[in-house]
Amino acid sequence: GESVGLHLPTLSVQEGDNSIINCAYSNSASDYFIWYKQESGKGPQFIIDIRSNMDKRQGQRVTVLLNKTVKHLSLQIAATQPGDSAVYFCAESLDKLIFGTGTRLQVFP
Amino acid sequence: GAGVSQSPSNKVTEKGKDVELRCDPISGHTALYWYRQRLGQGLEFLIYFQGNSAPDKSGLPSDRFSAERTGESVSTLTIQRTQQEDSAVYLCASSPNWLGQPQHFGDGTRLSIL
């Protein structure tokens, strides 16, 4: 069946370093992908999206990379800040959004 | 501008009672979604609405769960005869149209069944 999974359940980085959060998806027909950030007690917050006809998209301090050959998605956060600490979810979409279980990003000084 | 609003933010009830959760989507968004999130878990799709109709109810866990939407706006998720395993955060999201667009989430209703 369809599934989206994450390689690292917890990622710890030092403030100022770059963070890379990885995600594997299983449905090669998925054509739309989203990264969300969820802080404790809050709903998921949209970060960035990418369509299957692209392999890279940049936002403010964030970059999403899509490798359709190996069905891999990553989120890069530049100059990680304490406010980036949260759980990050990737989601793939074909007929509906399928979310992964999330990666917790911890930023330490 | 106003985002997705959910009420109540917290609900504690006894096993066997019925509960009703409310979602006010972003104005003009035709698509509305309900998810369940258990502690430390990802989001589990329950149902979505396109306008007032629900083309996909496949995620509803049992016939104790139902949802409706009126006026292409407010939606309610009803859980009848609640069980302890229903304890979770119930999240609502909306988007301008179905598919290919980011969903905007509310902060959820934290449901605790005693």
Side-chain angles (χ1 to χ4, degrees):
Chain A
E2 299 172 11
S3 66
V4 176
L6 297 177
H7 298 306
L8 299 174
T10 302
L11 177 65
S12 297
V13 299
Q14 190 165 23
E15 181 178 358
D17 285 354
N18 297 333
S19 302
I20 300 176
I21 301 172
N22 296 302
C23 175
Y25 64 94
S26 61
N27 193 331
S28 58
S30 293
D31 57 5
Y32 180 59
F33 305 87
I34 309 177
W35 280 100
Y36 285 93
K37 171 186 179 184
Q38 187 175 29
E39 296 173 293
S40 181
K42 301 281 190 180
Q45 176 187 1
F46 170 81
I47 301 174
I48 192 167
D49 58 0
I50 188 168
R51 301 189 187 279
S52 59
N53 61 351
M54 304 173 68
D55 54 19
K56 180 179 180 179
R57 190 165 188 217
Q58 289 184 292
Q60 188 174 17
R61 283 201 307 119
V62 295
T63 300
V64 55
L65 299 178
L66 175 62
N67 186 331
K68 293 182 287 293
T69 302
V70 294
K71 293 185 286 187
H72 184 266
L73 194 68
S74 68
L75 177 70
Q76 300 178 358
I77 304 173
T80 312
Q81 302 169 0
D84 295 327
S85 295
V87 176
Y88 289 79
F89 294 96
C90 65
E92 63 175 313
S93 175
L94 184 57
D95 57 351
K96 60 190 171 193
L97 274 183
I98 306 294
F99 287 81
T101 55
T103 292
R104 180 173 300 281
L105 177 64
Q106 297 177 327
V107 183
F108 57 93
Chain B
V4 176
S5 177
Q6 292 187 246
S7 61
S9 54
N10 286 283
K11 177 71 175 179
V12 181
T13 192
E14 294 180 345
K15 176 182 172 181
K17 300 286 188 184
D18 297 352
V19 296
E20 190 172 277
L21 312 180
R22 176 187 169 108
C23 173
D24 286 86
I26 293 173
S27 178
H29 281 193
T30 60
L32 185 148
Y33 316 80
W34 284 98
Y35 295 88
R36 179 169 69 180
Q37 186 175 31
R38 292 201 164 100
L39 185 64
Q41 302 292 315
L43 277 70
E44 175 187 3
F45 171 82
L46 298 178
I47 187 171
Y48 95 90
F49 289 89
Q50 184 65 19
N52 292 335
S53 63
D56 189 351
K57 304 179 182 179
S58 63
L60 294 177
S62 74
D63 59 7
R64 296 187 295 106
F65 288 72
S66 63
E68 64 175 20
R69 188 181 185 194
T70 56
E72 297 195 357
S73 180
V74 174
S75 176
T76 54
L77 176 69
T78 301
I79 309 173
Q80 295 178 307
R81 305 181 302 282
T82 52
Q83 303 293 314
Q84 288 187 331
E85 62 263 28
D86 299 333
S87 296
V89 175
Y90 290 83
L91 289 158
C92 176
S94 70
S95 63
N97 289 293
W98 171 239
L99 294 181
Q101 295 175 321
Q103 298 176 16
H104 301 270
F105 284 82
D107 286 337
T109 293
R110 183 175 298 278
L111 178 63
S112 300
I113 309 300
L114 303 179

